[in-house]
Amino acid sequence: MPTSKVGTTPSLPNFLKSLKHNDIETSIEAFISLLKRRLVRGSRPCAIATVNLLLRVVGEERIKDAHKLIERIRDVGRRLVAAQPREMAVGNVVRRVLEVVRERAEADQDAAAGSEGSTTSPTTPTELTPSSGAHALPKDLQIRAHGSAHGEKPTSNGVSDATAQRPALASTNTSYAGQAPSATSLFSILQHPTTASGGRSPYATPPGDNQSASSKSSSRRGEEAADAKGGEKLDIKAEVITGIIELQNELEDVDDEIASYALDHIHSNEIVLTHTSSQTVQKFLMTAARKRKFTVVHAEAYPNDHEATHATIVNGGRKGGDEDALGAGGDERWKPLTSMGITVILIPDSAVFALMSRINKVILAPHTVLANGSLLAGAGASTIALAAKTHHVPVVVLSGVYKLSPVYPFDTDELIEYGDPVKVVGFEEGRLVQGVDVVNPAYDWVDSDFVDLYITNLGAHAPSYLYRIIADHYRKEDTVLT
Amino acid sequence: MAPKGKKGANAAKPKQGEEEPEEPLQAVILADCYETRFNPFTLEKPRCLLTLANMPLIEYTCEMLAGSGVEQVFLYSGNHSDQVEQYLQQSRWMRDTSPFSLEIIRSTSRSVGDAMRDLDQKQLIKGDFICVYGDVVANVQLEAALTAHKARREKNKKAIMTMVLREAGDSHRTNSQHTRPCFVIDPHTQACVHYEQMKPRKSPRLEISDEVLKDHPEMEIRSDLIDCGIDICTPEVLAQWSDNFDWQMPRRGFVHGVLKDFETFQLTIHTHVLTDGYAARVRNLQTYDAISKDVVSRWSYPYCPDTNFLPDHSYKMKRGFVYKEDGVVLARSSVIGRKTVLGEATSIGDDSVVLNSVVGRRCVIGKRVKIEGAYIWDDARIGDDTVIDTAIVGNDASVGSKCSVQKGALISYGVRIADGTTVRENTRVSQLKRKRGYEEDEVVRGNTDPKVVGEGGDGFRLEFDEDEEDVFETLVAGVQDLAVDEDDSVSEFSDEEDEDEEVHHHRKTSRTESFTSIGSEESGEARQSAADFHHEAANSLFDSLQKGQDPDTIQLELKALTLATNAEGKQIRRAVAVAFSKRMAKFVETGKSAKEAASSTVSPNRLLIERCVDAASVEEQVEFLLFLQTDLVHRPQGSKLLLFASFELANNDLADADGFQGWWEAAQSSATEELKKVKVETKQVVDFLQDQDESSEEEDDEEDED
């Protein structure tokens, strides 16, 4: 049918399709223009597109070493984030991928160090780590490297893994303590054993340095070790790709994982208020609806999302939206809640306060969750949170970890995107267009005080605990991409 | 239509296009609009590179096309091709990563019509394509319009074009304030059945033909539509342009012409009315102002400054639609009001107030300056204590201290306004002016006028249409028409002093279209019907002449048309003159000598000339000869043709010595270099007749058959 298809209009599904056969730079540019033209919007589509793009980037790249790969990903990430700084999910995914690369690189290098340790004299690792690290690393890392040299013996692997992934907190303290590494703060005490554990130094030298170091030793050690090293290098790429695919799977499963906590939070005969249309919330409520009967009050989020909200209530999912195109739609998962015997009441945003006294629980779906536990959500969320606070109604926020951004909101004004005033006042109203400034913010900022509980795919957390999840998932050095 | 050989060849193309749905979507950008509305700014820079909210207009257009999935773009640049090319070479549209392939076509075309005909000849267009101007600002995706267009094409091959229009209510700033397009649409088929342009404060009157009224029981008459100049065309459109080589403008020429010929060709033009999204065209300064405001207040979202489409832009939006780029230096006591855009490295001094304005990059604005509603382009300098109100200050211009720039003033590139000067309302201050009688490209430096720019300033007041006005006086059609034809300049020189606060649009006055020369004192409607008559009469006459029809039959047709449109004798003479010259030119093209051409055209059809030119009236003869002369100016071998045609006219006693003498001496006949050149050879005929006249008086043969 020539009528059905007219050219290839840029859109997310078309982009994902073209990703396979297009040149990588073209793909990046295409995604940037999609972001700029706002043809991709919302955290999930952005995250999915970014993961796919990065998968391509990594797959394409003929990496010499992990260091270069990190540079490359950072570079791409920088461009993507600059294109649309308000879609935080893009930056989050880039950081997650960077973390994957760094982790694999370090694991590799540890393995290399470990193998060296076993084949050569036991003094080698202690020689290598501090000296090579001292040249190339930022100060706080050097100190840790020093610490590892002077540090105590490893305690347990479990501890090491957990603490190894929280560099962000350490920075000021360690650099402060830099002059006297042995007499230090609580942090450095905790860190010394971990960094030194098992001869590993997770923060130690970048791979480039290590390779040169290990190649020196390998030349001494001969063929066998060299072979092992070659194999490792190949593995980095494969492992990073595996890591990205894991991330992809995480994005796919995030709703199910969050929904699995539904029964802990939604009880029989409760009245739950929610806002805008969200796949995650829908899934969550559906899961609860299988076992329990409750009532849902749905605020419509006029003017930006009300159509999607209506579609969700009537059909269970947005029609022809991005979700459909991504293959998530169409199946029986997207039944309306009413088909499960749940009473759903649609209200305008302005009625939220009046009804709040009867609500037992507010469930919000954020656009982004920020490092301090505050969040950005569709316009109207702030009103709801405020009303809930006044009535002491608990506010539960359902958010995948991918929405969790390590960015600290210094200027909340700048985070909010202002959309199209056409949705508020029609463009054909000539006099209004001329005489009135119409403002249509797409998002509201809600402070962490207003949120009682975050449910992520990892479980339920207090807002004050989010820093910890952030530290687990992102590296401090990646927080600022630009 | 036997004689239209060209058409047959072209008509075959669209069919191929349809059989291959895989074809890339093509678009044509007309980067030159063939008009002078943005003078003095367009004297130096092409219009599509003027910045709107600090981004060149062409970027908006390219973004829109990229957003619609266009894969191949042809850009027609007329004026200042070098600048356009240079800019695009460095832009992201020419890189490998560009979403479409962009080809710049340099053309010597002097109207949209010429460009379209050129495009047709080049055979670049394979299937349906989008035709836009280089100054469209739109955030719409054309997918829906394209799909509707294709669906219509499936059903009816004759649906050749879809105009994309944006619905806007009454009195909308973004709509054109002076000439307002009026579309008569059949609500069932979305076909546009009639098109006219209306002027405000004139009683609206549409002349819808009987057939149209009969064919369409239901019609919507809409003047609330913004014509954003986005057309989805089939290759058939190009063929039509080629067939009707006197069409210059896409609306008044093409749409009007096609709808007029509906009975003959059954071609239809459809409309696609957008009810959401943003689409508009920067067609004059008034719309420039309105669209800038729309962009700043985000009606064109996401095409807003803070989207940073250009890679080196870094705008951030603050509350109240204030957009600031990195490195803006604001004095602590300065006030940045609502709806303001500030470019990189611009600095604003103490106690200055900037409101509702766009300021470019690297501008230096002094202390205690008040800027409201103004557009200040890159690198401009504004001295202390100056007040600027709703004006445009061009690149590198500098305004001294304690100046006052009043509403509607335009200060062009590099102009220096000395301290303490007042630039009056609607003044155009420029360093350059167009040199008379030359192509638009050739601009020269004017002499500084201290009265306008103050002592020590640089620049002079560019009078309105200093050269264009001559054209009106001389009443000559021809060369000038082509130079600056534009879509709806029809009667701008009846220059309404704008009703609302926007003073800009009272600018311009291009050197109007052909038919304005018929009588510039005429009202708009009369002029319009005159144009219709001329178009139709000249065409049908030419067709008939081509077919070699009997002069009596032709005369009868002409007569009918004259009566139907209530045309004046002068118009008939003009139509006949144009048809004859066209016919002769055609002969010359086919290889005949000018002499043969003239004799085989004039003699057999002398009846026609007899009818419209009273051999006894010297004025009528003069007029006829003038029309003939001006039309031949741009024909090949024009001077030869004029010589032999004059000879023939004299031989057939269609014009006498007095007539020729009167013509030769008439001021209009030697108004321009070209006209002089064309007539120089005819001197011998005039002289010869003069001699003869003195010796023997010939009898005028007149057979009146009215």
Side-chain angles (χ1 to χ4, degrees), chain A residues 1-7, chain B residues 16-25 71 150:
Chain A
M1 277 291 279
T3 43
S4 61
K5 188 100 182 94
V6 188
Chain B
Q16 295 167 5
E18 267 172 15
E19 276 145 28
E20 297 161 46
E22 288 302 303
E23 249 160 29
L25 184 57
E71 286 154 87
K150 294 245 153 150

Side-chain angles (χ1 to χ4, degrees), chain A residues 8-192:
Chain A
T8 42
T9 318
S11 65
L12 185 60
N14 284 345
F15 167 72
L16 291 179
K17 262 179 245 156
S18 72
L19 200 54
K20 283 183 198 72
H21 49 84
N22 265 3
D23 177 52
I24 191 77
E25 277 301 312
T26 315
S27 297
I28 295 171
E29 283 299 321
F31 185 47
I32 286 175
S33 54
L34 279 181
L35 282 171
K36 286 197 171 177
R37 284 187 213 122
R38 309 304 283 122
L39 294 173
V40 187
R41 51 163 64 242
S43 290
R44 184 192 310 265
C46 282
I48 290 173
T50 313
V51 166
N52 284 314
L53 183 65
L54 289 178
L55 188 59
R56 264 282 287 184
V57 169
V58 172
E60 197 80 346
E61 209 58 28
R62 301 193 192 292
I63 344 142
K64 300 282 182 303
D65 54 61
H67 192 61
K68 289 235 175 66
L69 184 63
I70 288 171
E71 272 312 300
R72 170 72 177 154
I73 296 173
R74 275 184 76 103
D75 180 55
V76 173
R78 207 175 290 137
R79 287 161 65 191
L80 297 182
V81 170
Q84 192 48 263
R86 294 190 188 99
E87 287 292 2
M88 307 262 197
V90 174
N92 298 346
V93 169
V94 171
R95 292 182 186 106
R96 290 285 293 277
V97 172
L98 281 171
E99 145 77 21
V100 166
V101 180
R102 285 179 202 274
E103 193 185 319
R104 304 292 146 122
E106 280 150 13
D108 245 24
Q109 164 206 314
D110 292 344
S115 64
E116 277 161 31
S118 60
T119 50
T120 54
S121 71
T123 52
T124 319
T126 39
E127 271 173 17
L128 266 180
T129 340
S131 60
S132 55
H135 295 301
L137 283 180
K139 200 167 184 192
D140 55 275
L141 294 182
Q142 285 178 30
I143 291 141
R144 271 185 235 132
H146 270 287
S148 70
H150 299 282
E152 296 139 62
K153 284 299 150 202
T155 45
S156 86
N157 266 334
V159 175
S160 86
D161 280 340
T163 39
Q165 288 172 331
R166 36 184 303 205
L169 289 169
S171 68
T172 49
N173 292 318
T174 42
S175 57
Y176 213 70
Q179 272 68 28
S182 50
T184 49
S185 67
L186 191 61
F187 276 123
S188 42
I189 291 172
L190 282 171
Q191 266 167 359
H192 293 312

